[in-house]
Amino acid sequence: MERFDWDDLRFFLAVARSGRLTAAARRLGADHATVSRRITSLEESLKAKLFERRPQGYALTGHGEQLLAKAESMETEALAIQSEIGGADMALSGTVRIGAPDGFGSTFLAPRFAGFAKAYPGLELQLIAMPRLLSLSKREADVAITLAPPKEGKVVARKLCDYRLGLYASQDYLDAMPPIAAAEDLFAHRIVGYIDDLIFTPELDYLDEVAKGLRAQIQSSSVLAQMNAVAAGAGIGVIHHFMAVDEPRLVPVLAESVSITRSFWLLVHADLKDVARVRAVVDFIVRESKANRALLMGEAMAGAGRAVVAAD
């Protein structure tokens, strides 16, 4: 058998996980022609077809599935070598990709990156802050923040923290609309919330918990877009307290009777949990979450004396 280039396996794994040359090329920092050439080279050296080329993307053949398991084992060993045998400077360099819900990623994590980046100048941080679940097994992220523990997969999970949400509106909106004394009064108001068929996890389905049958007339897949719409007077929405605290246009509604608690979970692929750069990022996220418990639970807002609007 012709000897193959071990480095071709990086290209194989990227295509196997993404299903597309362009996506694999972006992940590897290469162009799609290079990725295609490396895949072809690997197939020729192994004398086996690894992918079916289809209009919708690349699908693994039987030989490809066999190689995937072995290539992932080799990847795991390579990561262990880098972490355990490589020097400290080497171990704390490279890229760590973090996946998080858009609210937590954009308004909580991102503003706290500055100090961490100064402490670890050799690290490159990539934050994917968007309303979707990311696959650790496909290496879409190295560390993921989710709203529920995983049901399966080679993942190490820990509960990160609880957080609370409540109803908010702008004062201008409340002044122009009927008073709100109880949750039932919300049916006479415009509600801002998620697009039902784009809710990616049941933990985001808040409205029935507020009032059975309550539905949103203004909808977005992004909680940041919802918050901006509510702050501008579009209606009433369920907003994280830690996001609302820095938006002076938001006024709590029914704070005494409506309080929603959820949890963030921190997930790491089992193969990466002992890699030094990943450990450093995990420790940073855990430390910041613990230090800001009052903010995440909405206790900081109570201390700030934000007004609560009910009737009149």
Side-chain angles (χ1 to χ4, degrees), residues 165-305:
L165 313 93
L167 292 173
Y168 288 88
S170 73
Q171 191 63 57
D172 288 344
Y173 172 86
L174 293 168
D175 290 343
M177 298 296 286
I180 305 167
E184 292 73 24
D185 296 331
L186 296 170
F187 289 95
H189 287 260
R190 288 194 305 273
I191 304 300
V192 178
Y194 284 100
I195 302 170
D196 287 342
D197 61 350
L198 294 182
I199 293 177
F200 67 93
T201 182
E203 285 75 21
L204 296 180
D205 196 2
Y206 308 124
L207 295 183
D208 272 341
E209 197 168 324
V210 175
K212 191 69 174 175
L214 191 64
R215 290 296 174 263
Q217 292 77 45
I218 299 174
Q219 303 174 1
S220 173
S221 61
S222 166
V223 70
L224 293 174
Q226 292 174 37
M227 183 179 74
N228 288 332
V230 171
I236 300 172
V238 177
I239 307 295
H240 305 65
H241 290 319
F242 68 80
M243 293 172 57
V245 71
D246 289 325
E247 176 45 81
R249 294 175 295 171
L250 291 178
V251 177
V253 176
L254 297 178
E256 300 276 332
S257 58
V258 177
S259 180
I260 298 169
T261 301
R262 293 290 189 267
S263 301
F264 286 127
W265 290 76
L266 190 149
L267 279 53
V268 182
H269 194 283
D271 293 343
L272 298 177
K273 67 180 178 64
D274 293 323
V275 174
R277 64 179 181 275
V278 174
R279 281 204 315 270
V281 170
V282 168
D283 290 345
F284 156 71
I285 296 173
V286 170
R287 184 170 62 250
E288 290 297 326
S289 299
K290 286 184 176 179
N292 290 279
R293 180 190 175 280
L295 173 66
L296 292 164
M297 293 299 288
E299 295 165 6
M301 297 198 70

Side-chain angles (χ1 to χ4, degrees), residues 133-149:
L133 295 173
L134 296 172
S135 171
L136 295 182
S137 63
K138 292 181 178 179
R139 296 298 202 270
E140 290 182 331
D142 302 311
V143 179
I145 310 298
T146 65
L147 302 181

Side-chain angles (χ1 to χ4, degrees), residues 10-227:
R10 292 195 305 115
F11 293 82
F12 167 77
L13 283 171
V15 175
R17 287 162 177 164
S18 66
R20 293 188 176 278
L21 289 182
T22 51
R26 283 195 301 270
R27 181 71 167 137
L28 294 165
D31 60 76
H32 74 279
T34 298
V35 178
S36 178
R37 178 172 53 79
R38 299 295 287 267
I39 294 299
T40 299
S41 172
L42 182 61
E43 289 182 322
E44 290 175 350
S45 64
L46 293 176
K47 294 182 170 51
K49 189 175 183 180
L50 302 175
F51 293 100
E52 294 285 351
R53 277 73 166 174
R54 300 173 180 172
Q56 63 270 32
Y58 278 50
L60 287 168
T61 63
H63 289 304
E65 293 285 358
Q66 283 183 291
L67 180 59
L68 178 62
K70 294 184 180 301
E72 287 187 329
S73 295
M74 293 172 69
E75 180 186 49
T76 297
E77 291 303 318
L79 289 168
I81 290 169
Q82 183 183 36
S83 178
E84 296 169 14
I85 301 175
D89 291 341
M90 176 181 171
L92 287 177
S93 64
T95 301
V96 179
R97 180 173 287 187
I98 307 161
D102 57 334
F104 186 76
S106 298
T107 65
F108 184 84
L109 279 185
R112 292 171 169 78
F113 276 168
F116 182 80
K118 289 176 183 176
Y120 298 103
L123 282 181
E124 178 180 301
L125 297 176
Q126 297 181 349
L127 175 62
I128 304 176
M130 58 193 302
R132 59 165 288 218
L133 295 173
L134 296 172
S135 171
L136 295 182
S137 63
K138 292 181 178 179
R139 296 298 202 270
E140 290 182 331
D142 302 311
V143 179
I145 310 298
T146 65
L147 302 181
K151 294 182 172 61
E152 57 185 2
K154 196 176 177 183
V155 174
V156 176
R158 63 184 290 180
K159 184 176 176 180
L160 182 61
C161 59
D162 290 329
Y163 66 97
R164 286 191 183 130
L165 313 93
L167 292 173
Y168 288 88
S170 73
Q171 191 63 57
D172 288 344
Y173 172 86
L174 293 168
D175 290 343
M177 298 296 286
I180 305 167
E184 292 73 24
D185 296 331
L186 296 170
F187 289 95
H189 287 260
R190 288 194 305 273
I191 304 300
V192 178
Y194 284 100
I195 302 170
D196 287 342
D197 61 350
L198 294 182
I199 293 177
F200 67 93
T201 182
E203 285 75 21
L204 296 180
D205 196 2
Y206 308 124
L207 295 183
D208 272 341
E209 197 168 324
V210 175
K212 191 69 174 175
L214 191 64
R215 290 296 174 263
Q217 292 77 45
I218 299 174
Q219 303 174 1
S220 173
S221 61
S222 166
V223 70
L224 293 174
Q226 292 174 37
M227 183 179 74

